[in-house]
């Protein structure tokens, strides 16, 4: 009997401290008016020194494991999507494994920047379907506040911190009754590495570095890349875009979300928008948005949910999940 990968739970957490646009306007030459109009962002969360990526990731993972009715010792695969690891090594996934008290398991990080969680869905799906894991936890966690150049108004107003996690379980296809990860599309084009990157690294200059972005250049690729990944993903799954109950996109810029929805004919009321409260939280962005719409009662079991993301690399992708 073929195995399908069922998303049993998905939860998210933010750091405690929220930072509004007005607070940033006291630090750099910007305004609430500019940030709101150009991005839709009103506020974002900024992690304290104790709220590291693994701390936030473990908090989200704990919630997801509980919501799935599992115990940490049931988990046999831990994948953490992050570009802001606590340490160069070991992986944040292993740090989370230790914090949760999981048994010996497979654990590793995925580095696909803002597309990390969507990449993780595709990777975990493949490992679960091939029988290499039965009860997986996928975490998307980032603390981009640590790699911000807080004097660069073009970037420091855009990003925030957070974490989300999903339990993905292998279930016999006849038992799953249509639920599961239906398809995913994962893409990258390294020739655009320079337009969004961090100017540090262990082997280049032995520094952590700061995020650098040519915003307009990234923007130019966003709507086209995301739209084509969604179309390919829906085609792979054999489901038209019109079947989607909820569109849960990466939250980089409200203008990008509107552009993609318009191009694909997705009605505004099906688009989950949290960029106003979270900013761009990189790999945490998609699970944070999902959790938000789950908590306010929009997303429910049985819904067809479309995830998408684009980020540094450039990387981009989409995933279609029947809950
Ligand atoms: O998650 C990874 C993927 N990332 C993205 O998808 C981000 C994609 N890019 C974007 O979302 C947008 O390009 C930005 C929000 C980053 C920038 O918006 P934009 O409409 O492309 O603005 P711009 O970069 O063309 O800048 C317009 C003006 C410039 O001033 P001049 O040259 O016209 O005088 C900037 O210096 O706005 C200025 N500016 C600001 N002004 C006030 C840039 N940042 C700020 C700021 N406050 N924070």
């Amino acid at each position: 009997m073929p195995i399908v990968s069922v998303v049993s739970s998905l939860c998210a957490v933010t750091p405690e401290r929220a930072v509004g646009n007005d607070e940033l306007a006291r630090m750099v030459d910007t305004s609430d008016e500019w940030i709101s109009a150009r991005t839709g962002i009103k506020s974002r969360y900024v992690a304290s020194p104790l709220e590291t990526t693994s701390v936030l990731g473990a908090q989200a993972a704990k919630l997801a494991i509980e919501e799935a009715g599992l115990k940490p010792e049931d988990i046999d695969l831990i994948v953490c999507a992050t570009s802001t690891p606590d340490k160069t090594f070991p992986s944040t996934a292993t740090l989370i494994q230790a914090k949760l008290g999981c048994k010996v398991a497979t654990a590793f990080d995925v580095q696909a920047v803002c597309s990390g969680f969507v990449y993780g869905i595709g990777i975990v799906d493949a490992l679960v379907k091939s029988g290499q894991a039965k009860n997986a936890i996928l975490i998307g966690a980032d603390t981009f506040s640590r790699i911000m150049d807080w004097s660069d108004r073009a970037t420091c107003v855009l990003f925030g911190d957070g974490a989300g996690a999903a339990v993905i379980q292998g279930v016999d296809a006849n038992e799953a009754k249509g639920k599961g990860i239906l398809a995913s599309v994962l893409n990258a084009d390294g020739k655009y590495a320079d337009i969004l990157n961090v100017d540090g690294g262990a082997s280049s200059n032995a520094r952590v570095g700061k995020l650098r972005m040519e915003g307009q250049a990234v923007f130019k690729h966003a709507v086209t890349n995301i739209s084509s990944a969604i179309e390919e993903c829906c085609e792979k799954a054999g489901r038209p875009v019109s079947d989607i109950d909820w569109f849960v996109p990466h939250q980089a810029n409200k203008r990008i979300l509107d552009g993609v929805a318009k191009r694909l004919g997705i009605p505004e009321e099906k688009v989950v928008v949290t960029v106003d409260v979270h900013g761009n939280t990189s790999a945490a962005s998609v699970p944070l948005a999902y959790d938000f719409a789950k908590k306010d009662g929009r997303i429910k079991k049985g819904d067809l949910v479309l995830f998408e993301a684009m980020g540094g690399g450039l990387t981009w992708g989409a995933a279609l999940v029947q809950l």
Side-chain angles (χ1 to χ4, degrees), residues 28-31 34-35 38-39 113-114 152-155 157-159 196 213-220 222 250-253 255-256 280 282 310-312:
V28 288
D29 182 15
T30 190
S31 62
W34 190 95
I35 304 169
R38 298 285 179 131
T39 70
V113 202
C114 299
D152 176 16
R153 68 175 184 174
T155 52
V157 302
L158 304 175
F159 294 89
L196 174 50
M213 178 166 74
E214 292 172 34
Q216 274 196 13
V218 177
F219 197 104
K220 265 205 319 221
H250 171 51
Q251 310 282 322
N253 188 326
R255 285 151 58 207
I256 297 174
N280 181 346
S282 191
M310 189 184 103

Side-chain angles (χ1 to χ4, degrees), residues 47-52 55-56 146:
S48 71
L50 292 178
E51 291 171 316
T52 63
V55 166
L56 295 169
R146 310 284 209 258

Side-chain angles (χ1 to χ4, degrees), residues 5 7 10 114-126 129 138 166 168 180-187 225-241 244-250 264 266 286-287 290 299 303-310 316-323:
S5 314
V7 177
L10 211 170
C114 299
S115 312
F117 193 79
V118 173
Y119 260 63
I121 291 176
I123 293 163
V124 170
D125 182 34
K129 273 190 186 139
L138 168 65
I168 300 174
I181 299 169
L182 305 184
S184 61
V185 169
L186 315 177
N187 283 319
N225 285 355
I226 292 165
S227 302
S228 65
I230 291 171
E231 281 169 335
E232 195 184 331
C233 188
C234 287
E235 204 176 298
K236 243 172 129 174
R239 301 289 292 268
V241 174
I244 294 161
D245 294 304
W246 297 108
F247 175 42
V248 184
H250 171 51
L264 298 179
I266 302 173
V286 161
Y290 177 101
I299 298 180
D303 286 348
L304 183 65
V305 180
L306 174 74
F307 301 110
E308 59 84 347
M310 189 184 103
W316 66 97
L320 194 60
V321 176
Q322 184 73 61
L323 295 176

Side-chain angles (χ1 to χ4, degrees), residues 126-137:
L127 288 170
V128 167
K129 273 190 186 139
S130 66
Q132 292 188 72
K134 176 141 179 51
N135 297 316
I137 181 108

Side-chain angles (χ1 to χ4, degrees), residues 8-318:
S8 308
S9 64
L10 211 170
C11 300
V13 299
T14 58
E16 275 184 24
R17 192 164 93 86
V19 175
N21 290 347
D22 288 337
E23 190 174 338
L24 293 181
R26 292 195 287 275
M27 291 164 53
V28 288
D29 182 15
T30 190
S31 62
D32 174 47
E33 197 188 359
W34 190 95
I35 304 169
S36 302
R38 298 285 179 131
T39 70
I41 300 167
K42 291 272 179 198
S43 187
R44 73 287 290 142
Y45 291 86
V46 173
S48 71
L50 292 178
E51 291 171 316
T52 63
T53 297
S54 76
V55 166
L56 295 169
Q59 285 172 4
K62 190 168 177 288
L63 292 176
I65 291 168
E66 279 166 15
E67 191 178 284
L70 296 180
K71 302 220 167 323
E73 56 267 31
D74 297 324
I75 300 296
D76 54 8
L77 171 64
I78 301 139
V79 177
C80 181
T82 188
S83 315
T84 46
D86 289 25
K87 294 167 179 281
T88 300
F89 77 78
S91 68
T92 305
T94 57
L95 301 181
I96 292 172
Q97 177 187 24
K99 284 187 168 76
L100 294 175
C102 297
K103 64 182 182 190
V104 171
T106 310
F108 61 92
D109 286 359
V110 167
Q111 221 289 33
V113 202
C114 299
S115 312
F117 193 79
V118 173
Y119 260 63
I121 291 176
I123 293 163
V124 170
D125 182 34
L127 288 170
V128 167
K129 273 190 186 139
S130 66
Q132 292 188 72
K134 176 141 179 51
N135 297 316
I137 181 108
L138 168 65
I139 301 133
D142 267 311
T143 46
F144 267 42
S145 62
R146 310 284 209 258
I147 51 165
M148 280 303 114
D149 174 350
W150 287 101
S151 65
D152 176 16
R153 68 175 184 174
T155 52
C156 76
V157 302
L158 304 175
F159 294 89
D161 302 333
V167 167
I168 300 174
Q169 295 184 278
V171 177
D172 280 348
N174 62 349
E175 229 181 277
K177 299 187 171 48
K179 281 189 293 190
I181 299 169
L182 305 184
S184 61
V185 169
L186 315 177
N187 283 319
D189 191 344
K191 69 174 172 288
Y192 298 110
D194 286 348
I195 62 174
L196 174 50
N197 64 49
V198 171
D199 61 4
S203 84
S204 57
N205 57 13
R207 292 205 310 263
V208 172
K210 300 291 180 202
L211 183 144
R212 308 292 172 202
M213 178 166 74
E214 292 172 34
Q216 274 196 13
V218 177
F219 197 104
K220 265 205 319 221
H221 293 279
V223 175
T224 324
N225 285 355
I226 292 165
S227 302
S228 65
I230 291 171
E231 281 169 335
E232 195 184 331
C233 188
C234 287
E235 204 176 298
K236 243 172 129 174
R239 301 289 292 268
V241 174
S242 56
D243 273 9
I244 294 161
D245 294 304
W246 297 108
F247 175 42
V248 184
H250 171 51
Q251 310 282 322
N253 188 326
K254 176 75 165 60
R255 285 151 58 207
I256 297 174
L257 310 192
D258 292 345
V260 171
K262 193 168 167 215
R263 185 181 284 211
L264 298 179
I266 302 173
E268 206 184 333
E269 58 274 17
K270 287 187 176 182
V271 185
V272 178
V273 181
T274 59
V275 68
D276 53 336
V277 288
H278 297 141
N280 181 346
T281 55
S282 191
S285 153
V286 161
L288 271 168
Y290 177 101
D291 184 63
F292 197 90
K294 180 189 78 179
K295 282 183 179 148
D296 70 21
R298 278 179 287 172
I299 298 180
K300 290 182 286 299
K301 289 274 174 209
D303 286 348
L304 183 65
V305 180
L306 174 74
F307 301 110
E308 59 84 347
M310 189 184 103
L314 292 175
T315 56
W316 66 97

